[in-house]
Amino acid sequence: MREPASENNAPPQSLLERVKDYGQEDVFALWDELSPEERDVLVKDIEECSGVDVKLMNFSVAKVLNFEMFAIFGSGISLDLPRVDRIIRCSFRSEGLPAAAIEPVPESNVSTVEKRTMEERERWWKMGLKAISDGKLGVLLLSGGQGTRLGSSDPKGCFNIGLPSGKSLFQLQAERILCLQRLAAQSVNDGASIPPIHWYIMTSPFTDETTSKFFESHKYFGLEADQVTFFQQGTIPCVARDGRFIMESPYKVAKSPDGNGGVYSALKSSKLLEDMASRGIKYLDCYGVDNALVRVGDPTFLGYFVDKGVAAAAKVVRKAYPQEKVGVFVRRGKGGPVSVVEYSELDSSMASEINQETGRLRYCWSNVLPVCLHMFTLDFLNQVANGLEKDSIYHLAEKHIPSIHGHTLGYKLEQFIFDAFPYAPSTALFEALREEEFAPVKNANGSNFDTPDSARLLVLRLHTRWVVAAGGFLTHSVPLYATGVEVSPLCSYAGENLEAICRGRTFHAPCEISF
């Protein structure tokens, strides 16, 4: 039960003593100016923050900033001094890793496009469909972000990029799941029904209600309502340079989502890892919402993952040029785990090094964030959720944060989806082609890259190639480079089974090809 304010209208005594002990008493600095309703809001907000070890925050920020590096923090767990010391040492290791400790990922860990045989692709496709028909695949969508940079306050998945069909990103992905279910059912010789693919969708406090209502209003895009589960990622207070909470208003602490890596703790706290196990799920396909060409639950990637018998896998693309500002997969230390380093950690000479045997860059396998494409075993997700909770490592991003003092220079704390990879006992990489699987939707039209217009053209161009390969013809009244056709995911997942629809037919671009 919440302790009432004292007779002199002071903050609840026990709560005041607690925040003083942790150096956060400034949260009550404007208490006397608040209305009774605002005081209730503030007390509730501080009580919700009590799960965060604010003493650790103060100690970590002050000490790490003295070392002139980014800080990392723990949350939700009471920690002792040895643990704080370990966190600080981790920050040195993650933010200031010596170049000598980085090695290229071994070629044996990567399935490259040129070395992938037709027999392998067919075998992995069938293995993937078999795992899907057995109910072993779950799909995990990271959809906590709003479309602010797209000029919309709605969740990114609600966005319509302007395809002829007018479909949202959510609908495109739902229909690919429906197509996968049909392909998997067709692959079962006896024609028996198969378990539906369960779709776990991580939202945030800012997108949860809008997302669920969007699905309800569109009747789950043809999926069964009970095969879709929404859950929320966490939030964490923003802190100033001295480690104190930043106040968004006189009665509310500024908070931000804990990053896409918050999915691991969110799955654990919401008991969804147990839910997955109860459904017989063994593998999780994890991806970001803002990719119009994402191959949700890709059977070939799944089959490769199962065949390799690894704990984690990622789709990668080759860096376009040495100084491209993308993170890359590396091995940390000789024989160490596969991990991701940011482009800033590779000096120009390392970034330009060539593998003399392959002719490629030595560090060429790009981690295609934020449209991540990862595959994990359920056993590994349990392991990494426990490991990240134990280590409580967060990345610190310096931002101008809206506050009662205007925009305050402070820090947002995040975990990243790729923070899991160092925990994996085995990792495999699977090369994909940018033009076939990556159409990021990040910035508003008019920007230089990753816009709805650029994503729409990438979809239309790929689907046009599918139609021509299937024997179809196109007419168009504008230059073909500026238009094309859209193939409904309900017709084809990756260009297969289009001959019966397209051969000998002429389509006028732009248009949607559907059943």
Side-chain angles (χ1 to χ4, degrees):
M1 179 180 295
R2 184 180 304 158
E3 181 184 346
S6 61
E7 292 184 1
N8 62 1
N9 291 322
Q13 186 62 31
S14 62
L15 188 59
L16 181 60
E17 290 175 356
R18 178 168 174 78
V19 297
K20 280 184 176 179
D21 186 43
Y22 294 138
Q24 298 289 355
E25 62 272 19
D26 283 355
V27 297
F28 291 121
L30 299 176
W31 178 266
D32 292 339
E33 301 176 16
L34 302 180
S35 68
E37 293 78 13
E38 291 170 337
R39 290 175 178 179
D40 282 343
V41 172
L42 177 58
V43 168
K44 182 180 179 181
D45 203 35
I46 300 303
E47 286 175 343
E48 289 176 351
C49 291
S50 64
V52 179
D53 193 335
V54 292
K55 178 181 287 187
L56 174 62
M57 281 190 178
N58 270 328
F59 183 80
S60 295
V61 172
K63 191 162 184 181
V64 172
L65 288 177
N66 284 339
F67 286 114
E68 297 182 346
M69 58 189 300
F70 289 104
I72 48 180
F73 303 113
S75 66
I77 304 173
S78 180
L79 303 176
D80 53 19
L81 285 177
R83 174 129 183 99
V84 173
D85 180 68
R86 185 159 67 250
I87 287 173
I88 292 173
R89 285 189 286 106
C90 285
S91 69
F92 275 106
R93 187 161 64 248
S94 62
E95 300 295 342
L97 191 68
I102 296 175
E103 293 185 351
V105 175
E107 291 293 312
S108 60
N109 288 49
V110 187
S111 170
T112 60
V113 171
E114 70 263 21
K115 289 185 178 180
R116 204 174 297 153
T117 66
M118 181 63 71
E119 290 76 19
E120 283 179 324
R121 289 197 295 268
E122 291 178 354
R123 179 165 58 88
W124 290 336
W125 174 268
K126 291 177 180 178
M127 288 179 68
L129 290 180
K130 178 65 166 61
I132 293 170
S133 67
D134 289 341
K136 294 181 179 179
L137 177 70
V139 173
L140 178 58
L141 168 60
L142 309 179
S143 183
Q146 295 170 291
T148 308
R149 283 194 283 173
L150 297 170
S152 170
S153 60
D154 288 334
K156 290 180 183 178
C158 301
F159 201 82
N160 167 12
I161 63 171
L163 290 169
S165 66
K167 292 174 181 176
S168 65
L169 294 172
F170 280 141
Q171 183 169 354
L172 294 173
Q173 294 161 23
E175 291 184 355
R176 285 175 190 140
I177 291 174
L178 286 168
C179 185
L180 269 186
Q181 291 178 168
R182 186 182 73 247
L183 290 170
Q186 292 171 349
S187 71
V188 179
N189 292 330
D190 57 10
S193 62
I194 66 168
I197 297 172
H198 203 85
W199 199 8
Y200 297 90
I201 301 177
M202 185 179 78
T203 64
S204 71
F206 313 104
T207 64
D208 185 72
E209 183 178 0
T210 306
T211 299
S212 58
K213 286 183 176 179
F214 190 78
F215 271 73
E216 290 170 7
S217 65
H218 289 84
K219 301 186 185 303
Y220 293 85
F221 309 105
L223 297 169
E224 297 297 327
D226 60 3
Q227 76 179 100
V228 181
T229 297
F230 301 100
F231 66 103
Q232 292 188 43
Q233 70 183 111
T235 60
I236 193 165
C238 302
V239 295
R241 293 181 66 87
D242 61 1
R244 294 179 185 272
F245 289 164
I246 293 173
M247 299 301 293
E248 177 182 310
S249 73
Y251 52 90
K252 189 174 182 181
V253 175
K255 303 185 189 74
S256 63
D258 56 4
N260 57 20
V263 66
Y264 305 113
S265 58
L267 286 173
K268 181 180 174 67
S269 62
S270 58
K271 307 295 183 184
L272 288 179
L273 296 174
E274 291 91 333
D275 178 79
M276 293 171 183
S278 71
R279 297 177 187 274
I281 293 172
K282 303 291 185 184
Y283 315 113
L284 270 296
D285 179 52
C286 178
Y287 70 98
V289 70
D290 41 4
N291 179 5
L293 282 176
V294 62
R295 293 188 180 180
V296 182
D298 182 0
T300 305
F301 183 37
L302 173 58
Y304 168 73
F305 177 68
V306 174
D307 194 33
K308 294 289 285 186
V310 293
K315 280 190 176 180
V316 294
V317 297
R318 300 186 192 198
K319 288 181 68 174
Y321 50 91
Q323 306 308 324
E324 185 180 14
K325 294 183 177 182
V326 292
V328 293
F329 281 91
V330 300
R331 174 176 274 179
R332 289 194 179 274
K334 189 173 183 61
V338 171
S339 186
V340 174
V341 298
E342 292 302 316
Y343 66 90
S344 56
E345 294 185 53
L346 294 176
D347 61 39
S348 58
S349 60
M350 288 184 67
S352 302
E353 289 178 7
I354 301 295
N355 183 324
Q356 297 302 320
E357 293 183 5
T358 65
R360 295 192 298 266
L361 295 171
R362 292 187 74 213
Y363 301 96
C364 70
W365 300 120
S366 166
N367 176 50
V368 285
L369 282 173
V371 287
C372 62
L373 298 166
H374 299 151
M375 195 79 69
F376 303 118
T377 65
L378 181 57
D379 287 343
F380 174 64
L381 279 182
N382 274 289
Q383 174 191 337
V384 77
N386 292 327
L388 286 173
E389 180 180 281
K390 177 183 176 183
D391 293 340
S392 297
I393 297 176
Y394 284 74
H395 304 271
L396 197 80
E398 190 173 50
K399 302 283 186 179
H400 287 280
I401 298 165
S403 76
I404 56 176
H405 304 295
H407 280 75
T408 299
L409 189 61
Y411 299 96
K412 291 184 177 182
L413 294 89
E414 298 177 306
Q415 288 182 315
F416 300 142
I417 192 73
F418 58 73
D419 288 339
F421 283 95
Y423 293 85
S426 52
T427 300
L429 305 182
F430 186 90
E431 183 187 9
L433 297 176
R434 292 185 189 228
E435 62 269 23
E436 293 185 357
E437 299 196 38
F438 303 107
V441 185
K442 297 296 297 176
N443 305 308
N445 286 328
S447 301
N448 293 328
F449 54 87
D450 296 347
T451 66
D453 282 349
S454 66
R456 182 183 69 254
L457 286 175
L458 286 168
V459 172
L460 295 178
R461 289 168 184 169
L462 174 63
H463 290 190
T464 296
R465 294 195 295 272
W466 289 356
V467 170
V468 172
F473 302 93
L474 263 69
T475 60
H476 47 93
S477 53
V478 298
L480 188 56
Y481 66 80
T483 188
V485 295
E486 173 191 0
V487 175
S488 168
L490 297 174
C491 289
S492 181
Y493 179 83
E496 78 290 336
N497 301 328
L498 286 176
E499 288 79 5
I501 301 173
C502 298
R503 185 166 297 281
R505 293 184 61 189
T506 299
F507 304 91
H508 184 74
C511 68
E512 181 196 21
I513 298 174
S514 58
F515 284 120

